[in-house]
CSV table of all heavy atoms in Angstrom, one decimal:
chain,number,residue,atom,x,y,z
A,577,ALA,N,135.2,107.9,85.3
A,577,ALA,CA,136.7,107.8,85.0
A,577,ALA,C,137.4,109.1,85.2
A,577,ALA,O,138.5,109.1,85.7
A,577,ALA,CB,136.8,107.3,83.5
A,578,LEU,N,136.7,110.2,84.9
A,578,LEU,CA,137.3,111.5,85.1
A,578,LEU,C,137.4,111.8,86.6
A,578,LEU,O,138.5,112.2,87.0
A,578,LEU,CB,136.4,112.5,84.3
A,578,LEU,CG,136.8,114.0,84.5
A,578,LEU,CD1,138.2,114.2,83.8
A,578,LEU,CD2,135.8,114.9,84.0
A,579,ILE,N,136.3,111.8,87.3
A,579,ILE,CA,136.3,112.3,88.7
A,579,ILE,C,137.1,111.3,89.6
A,579,ILE,O,137.6,111.7,90.6
A,579,ILE,CB,134.9,112.6,89.2
A,579,ILE,CG1,134.0,111.4,89.2
A,579,ILE,CG2,134.3,113.8,88.5
A,579,ILE,CD1,132.6,111.7,89.8
A,580,ASP,N,137.2,110.0,89.2
A,580,ASP,CA,137.9,109.1,90.0
A,580,ASP,C,139.4,109.2,89.9
A,580,ASP,O,140.2,108.7,90.7
A,580,ASP,CB,137.5,107.6,89.7
A,580,ASP,CG,136.4,107.2,90.6
A,580,ASP,OD1,135.8,108.1,91.3
A,580,ASP,OD2,136.1,106.0,90.6
A,581,ALA,N,139.8,109.9,88.8
A,581,ALA,CA,141.3,110.1,88.6
A,581,ALA,C,141.9,110.9,89.8
A,581,ALA,O,143.1,110.9,90.0
A,581,ALA,CB,141.6,110.7,87.3
A,582,GLY,N,141.1,111.7,90.5
A,582,GLY,CA,141.6,112.5,91.6
A,582,GLY,C,142.2,113.8,91.2
A,582,GLY,O,142.0,114.8,91.8
A,583,GLN,N,143.1,113.8,90.2
A,583,GLN,CA,143.7,115.0,89.8
A,583,GLN,C,143.8,115.0,88.2
A,583,GLN,O,143.7,114.0,87.6
A,583,GLN,CB,145.1,115.2,90.4
A,583,GLN,CG,146.1,114.1,90.0
A,583,GLN,CD,147.4,114.4,90.5
A,583,GLN,OE1,147.6,115.2,91.4
A,583,GLN,NE2,148.4,113.7,90.0
A,584,ILE,N,144.0,116.2,87.7
A,584,ILE,CA,144.1,116.3,86.3
A,584,ILE,C,145.2,117.2,85.9
A,584,ILE,O,145.5,118.2,86.6
A,584,ILE,CB,142.7,116.9,85.7
A,584,ILE,CG1,142.7,116.8,84.2
A,584,ILE,CG2,142.4,118.3,86.2
A,584,ILE,CD1,141.3,117.0,83.7
A,585,GLU,N,146.0,116.9,84.9
A,585,GLU,CA,147.1,117.7,84.5
A,585,GLU,C,146.6,118.9,83.8
A,585,GLU,O,145.7,118.9,82.9
A,585,GLU,CB,148.0,116.9,83.6
A,585,GLU,CG,149.3,117.7,83.2
A,585,GLU,CD,150.4,116.9,82.5
A,585,GLU,OE1,150.2,115.7,82.3
A,585,GLU,OE2,151.4,117.6,82.1
A,586,LEU,N,147.2,120.1,84.2
A,586,LEU,CA,146.8,121.3,83.5
A,586,LEU,C,147.4,121.4,82.2
A,586,LEU,O,148.5,120.9,81.9
A,586,LEU,CB,147.2,122.5,84.4
A,586,LEU,CG,146.5,122.6,85.7
A,586,LEU,CD1,147.1,123.8,86.5
A,586,LEU,CD2,145.0,122.8,85.5
A,587,GLU,N,146.8,122.2,81.3
A,587,GLU,CA,147.4,122.5,80.0
A,587,GLU,C,148.8,123.2,80.3
A,587,GLU,O,148.8,124.0,81.2
A,587,GLU,CB,146.5,123.4,79.2
A,587,GLU,CG,145.2,122.8,78.8
A,587,GLU,CD,145.4,121.8,77.7
A,587,GLU,OE1,146.4,121.9,76.9
A,587,GLU,OE2,144.6,120.9,77.5
A,588,PRO,N,149.8,122.9,79.6
A,588,PRO,CA,151.1,123.6,79.9
A,588,PRO,C,151.1,125.0,79.3
A,588,PRO,O,151.7,125.9,79.8
A,588,PRO,CB,152.1,122.7,79.1
A,588,PRO,CG,151.4,122.0,78.0
A,588,PRO,CD,150.0,121.8,78.6
A,589,ASN,N,150.2,125.2,78.3
A,589,ASN,CA,150.3,126.5,77.6
A,589,ASN,C,149.3,127.5,78.2
A,589,ASN,O,148.6,128.2,77.6
A,589,ASN,CB,150.0,126.3,76.1
A,589,ASN,CG,148.6,125.6,75.9
A,589,ASN,OD1,148.1,125.0,76.8
A,589,ASN,ND2,148.0,125.8,74.8
A,590,THR,N,149.4,127.6,79.6
A,590,THR,CA,148.5,128.6,80.2
A,590,THR,C,149.0,130.0,80.1
A,590,THR,O,150.2,130.2,79.9
A,590,THR,CB,148.3,128.2,81.7
A,590,THR,OG1,149.7,128.0,82.2
A,590,THR,CG2,147.5,127.0,81.9
A,591,ALA,N,148.1,131.0,80.4
A,591,ALA,CA,148.5,132.4,80.3
A,591,ALA,C,149.0,132.8,81.7
A,591,ALA,O,148.6,132.2,82.7
A,591,ALA,CB,147.4,133.2,79.9
A,592,TRP,N,149.8,133.9,81.8
A,592,TRP,CA,150.2,134.5,83.0
A,592,TRP,C,150.4,136.0,82.8
A,592,TRP,O,150.5,136.4,81.7
A,592,TRP,CB,151.4,133.8,83.6
A,592,TRP,CG,152.5,133.7,82.6
A,592,TRP,CD1,152.6,132.8,81.6
A,592,TRP,CD2,153.7,134.5,82.5
A,592,TRP,NE1,153.8,133.0,80.9
A,592,TRP,CE2,154.5,134.0,81.4
A,592,TRP,CE3,154.2,135.6,83.3
A,592,TRP,CZ2,155.7,134.6,81.0
A,592,TRP,CZ3,155.4,136.1,82.9
A,592,TRP,CH2,156.1,135.6,81.8
A,593,ILE,N,150.4,136.7,83.9
A,593,ILE,CA,150.5,138.1,83.8
A,593,ILE,C,151.9,138.6,84.3
A,593,ILE,O,152.3,138.2,85.4
A,593,ILE,CB,149.4,138.8,84.7
A,593,ILE,CG1,148.0,138.4,84.2
A,593,ILE,CG2,149.5,140.4,84.6
A,593,ILE,CD1,147.5,138.8,82.9
A,594,GLU,N,152.6,139.4,83.5
A,594,GLU,CA,153.8,140.0,84.0
A,594,GLU,C,153.4,141.2,84.8
A,594,GLU,O,152.9,142.2,84.4
A,594,GLU,CB,154.6,140.5,82.8
A,594,GLU,CG,156.0,141.0,83.1
A,594,GLU,CD,156.9,139.9,83.6
A,594,GLU,OE1,157.5,139.2,82.8
A,594,GLU,OE2,157.1,139.9,84.8
A,595,GLU,N,153.5,141.0,86.2
A,595,GLU,CA,152.9,141.9,87.1
A,595,GLU,C,153.4,143.3,87.0
A,595,GLU,O,152.6,144.3,87.2
A,595,GLU,CB,153.0,141.4,88.5
A,595,GLU,CG,152.2,140.1,88.7
A,595,GLU,CD,152.2,139.5,90.1
A,595,GLU,OE1,152.9,140.2,91.0
A,595,GLU,OE2,151.6,138.5,90.3
A,596,ASP,N,154.7,143.5,86.7
A,596,ASP,CA,155.2,144.9,86.7
A,596,ASP,C,154.7,145.6,85.5
A,596,ASP,O,154.6,146.9,85.5
A,596,ASP,CB,156.7,144.8,86.5
A,596,ASP,CG,157.4,144.3,87.8
A,596,ASP,OD1,156.7,144.3,88.8
A,596,ASP,OD2,158.6,143.9,87.7
A,597,ILE,N,154.3,144.9,84.4
A,597,ILE,CA,153.9,145.6,83.2
A,597,ILE,C,152.4,145.8,83.2
A,597,ILE,O,151.9,146.8,82.7
A,597,ILE,CB,154.3,144.7,82.0
A,597,ILE,CG1,155.8,144.8,81.8
A,597,ILE,CG2,153.5,145.1,80.7
A,597,ILE,CD1,156.3,144.1,80.6
A,598,CYS,N,151.6,145.0,83.9
A,598,CYS,CA,150.1,145.1,83.9
A,598,CYS,C,149.8,146.4,84.6
A,598,CYS,O,150.3,146.7,85.7
A,598,CYS,CB,149.5,144.0,84.6
A,598,CYS,SG,147.7,144.1,84.8
A,599,SER,N,148.9,147.2,83.9
A,599,SER,CA,148.4,148.5,84.5
A,599,SER,C,147.0,148.3,85.1
A,599,SER,O,146.4,149.3,85.5
A,599,SER,CB,148.5,149.6,83.5
A,599,SER,OG,147.6,149.3,82.4
A,600,GLY,N,146.5,147.1,85.1
A,600,GLY,CA,145.1,146.9,85.6
A,600,GLY,C,144.0,147.6,84.8
A,600,GLY,O,143.1,148.1,85.4
A,601,CYS,N,144.2,147.6,83.5
A,601,CYS,CA,143.2,148.3,82.7
A,601,CYS,C,141.9,147.5,82.5
A,601,CYS,O,140.9,148.1,82.1
A,601,CYS,CB,143.7,148.6,81.3
A,601,CYS,SG,143.9,147.2,80.2
A,602,LYS,N,141.9,146.2,82.9
A,602,LYS,CA,140.7,145.4,82.9
A,602,LYS,C,140.2,145.0,81.5
A,602,LYS,O,139.0,144.6,81.4
A,602,LYS,CB,139.6,146.0,83.8
A,602,LYS,CG,140.0,146.0,85.3
A,602,LYS,CD,138.8,146.4,86.1
A,602,LYS,CE,139.2,146.5,87.6
A,602,LYS,NZ,138.1,147.0,88.4
A,603,THR,N,141.0,145.2,80.5
A,603,THR,CA,140.5,144.8,79.2
A,603,THR,C,140.3,143.3,79.1
A,603,THR,O,139.4,142.8,78.5
A,603,THR,CB,141.6,145.2,78.1
A,603,THR,OG1,141.8,146.6,78.2
A,603,THR,CG2,141.1,144.9,76.7
A,604,CYS,N,141.2,142.6,79.8
A,604,CYS,CA,141.1,141.1,79.6
A,604,CYS,C,140.0,140.4,80.4
A,604,CYS,O,139.6,139.3,80.1
A,604,CYS,CB,142.5,140.5,80.0
A,604,CYS,SG,142.9,141.0,81.7
A,605,ILE,N,139.6,141.1,81.5
A,605,ILE,CA,138.8,140.4,82.5
A,605,ILE,C,137.6,139.7,81.9
A,605,ILE,O,137.4,138.5,82.1
A,605,ILE,CB,138.3,141.3,83.6
A,605,ILE,CG1,139.5,142.1,84.2
A,605,ILE,CG2,137.5,140.6,84.7
A,605,ILE,CD1,140.3,141.3,85.2
A,606,ASN,N,136.7,140.4,81.1
A,606,ASN,CA,135.5,139.7,80.7
A,606,ASN,C,135.7,139.1,79.3
A,606,ASN,O,134.8,138.6,78.7
A,606,ASN,CB,134.3,140.7,80.6
A,606,ASN,CG,134.5,141.8,79.6
A,606,ASN,OD1,135.6,142.0,79.1
A,606,ASN,ND2,133.5,142.6,79.4
Side-chain angles (χ1 to χ4, degrees):
Chain A
L578 175 71
I579 60 180
D580 269 13
Q583 62 174 14
I584 190 165
E585 183 171 356
L586 295 177
E587 294 288 335
N589 54 339
T590 47
W592 49 284
I593 302 290
E594 186 67 82
E595 296 184 356
D596 291 345
I597 286 182
C598 178
S599 63
C601 73
K602 295 190 180 173
T603 302
C604 56
I605 307 283
N606 65 350

